[in-house]
Amino acid sequence: MGADNDRNVTIAMIARLAGVSVPTVSRVINGRSDVAPQTRERVEDLLTRHGYRRRPPSRRPRSGLVDLVFNDLDSPWAVEIIRGVEDVAHGSGVGTVVSAIHRRTSSAKQWLDNMRTRSTEGVIFVTSMVAPPLQAELSRLNIPVVIVDPAGVAPQEAPTVGATNWAGSLRANQYLLGLGHRRIGFIAGPPQLMCSRARLDGYRAALEAAGIAFDDTLVRPGNFYHEAGYAAGTQLLALPDPPTAIFASSDQMALGVYEAVRKRGLRVPDDVSVVGFDDLPEVRWCSPPLTTIRQPLAEMGMLAARTVLRLARGEKIESPRVELATELVVRDSAAPPADR
């Protein structure tokens, strides 16, 4: 097939012959750096062999905007991520458009339609599963994507920014074990999120390392929100042999446990120790101040913004998968178990 027939050669055809996705071929054609060298060579060879005539990429005028997309905006940790993104965006002379798509296909479609009209420079998704059609359309438009705390396995071409969830959970539970606790309740996050699964795995690893058998009666489901922490804490404290400590997978759920403890006529940490995860600004002012795992939410937002702006400028990034360190912040909500 010669160059005269190039109009019959489609990107989809090249993708099929190369055994890669259409977005991958699009990235090769547009000179993007986030393609493996062997894949790039294979695609380039097929493009040449089949006489695909490259058209100059249509350069969208700089919009001076970055899209920041959440599933929901009703959590304090979302504010921390927004703060980090806006710090970097403002310093780069770029505005931030914040949206919530509420996990609905119709909302995602409406967001995509709105985004097309403003020619965004890049998109940051937070705790989202980016559907393949959406990812393909963004790739077709040559709009870079970065995912913060991906819900599942992120598309290979999308850089991700997360935190060391497993290590943070391990450290929190090692701390409680070091205080002498042997029955530690665990309140999980949404099971579809990778960060939730990592925190459960860290809890199990800490128990295993201490020679303590995993007891699923001490594990309760949650969703990162206050009400779930209250419900799970109430259930755990009602057990015939209740835990002496509870590790909640988010600060909001930990504060829900505080309420459950109070309703039962008990006190934190005299009767029950509580540890959270996130280190939201307000937890240092609750009573007692919450011991928690600090997740660098603002820093995650800052790194995501820097990454998406670098991609928008056509720059190469050092690593497509980055996890920022978590750390234990000891305050007053955990103590050695009371004698029973």
Side-chain angles (χ1 to χ4, degrees):
M1 186 179 294
D4 292 340
N5 296 321
D6 74 297
R7 69 181 58 192
N8 297 321
V9 181
T10 65
I11 292 178
M13 171 187 152
I14 298 296
R16 186 172 64 254
L17 291 171
V20 299
S21 67
V22 169
T24 297
V25 176
S26 177
R27 284 194 300 280
V28 172
I29 291 172
N30 290 315
R32 292 269 294 275
S33 61
D34 48 344
V35 180
Q38 305 94 317
T39 301
R40 181 183 300 280
E41 184 177 348
R42 185 165 71 253
V43 171
E44 292 277 14
D45 179 65
L46 286 165
L47 290 168
T48 302
R49 194 188 318 162
H50 290 278
Y52 184 88
R53 183 178 300 161
R54 301 168 193 249
R55 294 159 181 80
S58 57
R59 289 189 173 273
R60 302 187 325 277
R62 285 201 61 179
S63 62
L65 295 173
V66 167
D67 271 73
L68 177 57
V69 183
F70 294 84
N71 281 321
D72 297 292
L73 279 170
D74 54 353
S75 173
W77 61 259
V79 176
E80 293 299 297
I81 291 177
I82 293 170
R83 183 165 62 82
V85 170
E86 290 211 315
D87 278 353
V88 170
H90 179 75
S92 302
V94 174
T96 306
V97 179
V98 181
S99 305
I101 57 176
H102 305 293
R103 299 182 177 86
R104 292 196 297 264
T105 303
S106 59
S107 297
K109 182 179 182 304
Q110 182 180 6
W111 167 79
L112 186 60
D113 290 342
N114 292 338
M115 186 273 302
R116 286 193 191 100
T117 66
R118 58 178 171 264
S119 300
T120 187
E121 295 191 27
V123 180
I124 300 169
F125 289 103
V126 183
T127 58
S128 298
M129 179 71 77
V130 183
L134 180 58
Q135 175 67 24
E137 177 63 7
L138 291 169
S139 182
R140 186 186 72 79
L141 295 169
N142 203 26
I143 296 174
V145 170
V146 174
I147 304 176
V148 176
D149 242 355
V153 178
Q156 186 176 2
E157 59 272 11
T160 63
V161 177
T164 53
N165 291 287
W166 182 88
S169 176
L170 178 75
R171 181 70 186 93
N173 288 285
Q174 285 177 331
Y175 176 69
L176 290 170
L177 289 163
L179 290 174
H181 295 279
R182 292 298 177 265
R183 286 185 62 77
I184 301 172
F186 177 80
I187 306 177
Q192 72 272 19
L193 298 184
M194 293 182 71
C195 61
S196 299
R197 298 197 290 270
R199 292 171 199 179
L200 175 59
D201 289 343
Y203 165 76
R204 297 185 70 145
L207 295 178
E208 182 179 349
I212 298 172
F214 175 75
D215 182 354
D216 59 7
T217 65
L218 292 176
V219 176
R220 289 292 183 274
N223 60 8
F224 291 158
Y225 293 100
H226 184 280
E227 294 80 5
Y230 173 72
T234 299
Q235 294 168 11
L236 288 169
L237 294 173
L239 289 172
D241 186 11
T244 60
I246 297 175
F247 172 57
S249 293
S250 76
D251 285 352
Q252 283 187 283
M253 292 198 299
L255 297 181
V257 174
Y258 272 34
E259 186 177 351
V261 171
R262 286 195 298 269
K263 288 282 183 71
R264 203 164 179 86
L266 303 174
R267 291 183 299 174
V268 176
D270 300 10
D271 302 298
V272 183
S273 289
V274 180
V275 174
F277 199 111
D278 282 330
D279 195 27
L280 298 175
E282 59 265 34
V283 301
R284 70 191 66 181
W285 307 115
C286 61
S287 182
L290 180 67
T291 292
T292 188
I293 295 296
R294 181 178 184 271
Q295 182 175 204
L297 296 166
E299 290 89 337
M300 289 160 64
M302 293 173 71
L303 179 58
R306 290 193 193 102
T307 302
V308 82
L309 289 174
R310 288 184 64 182
L311 291 174
R313 294 191 294 263
E315 299 176 11
K316 189 172 183 179
I317 59 173
E318 288 76 18
S319 175
R321 305 283 181 266
V322 178
E323 286 190 344
L324 300 184
T326 52
E327 63 177 308
L328 176 68
V329 179
V330 176
R331 297 194 179 99
D332 301 331
S333 64
D339 294 335
R340 289 188 173 176

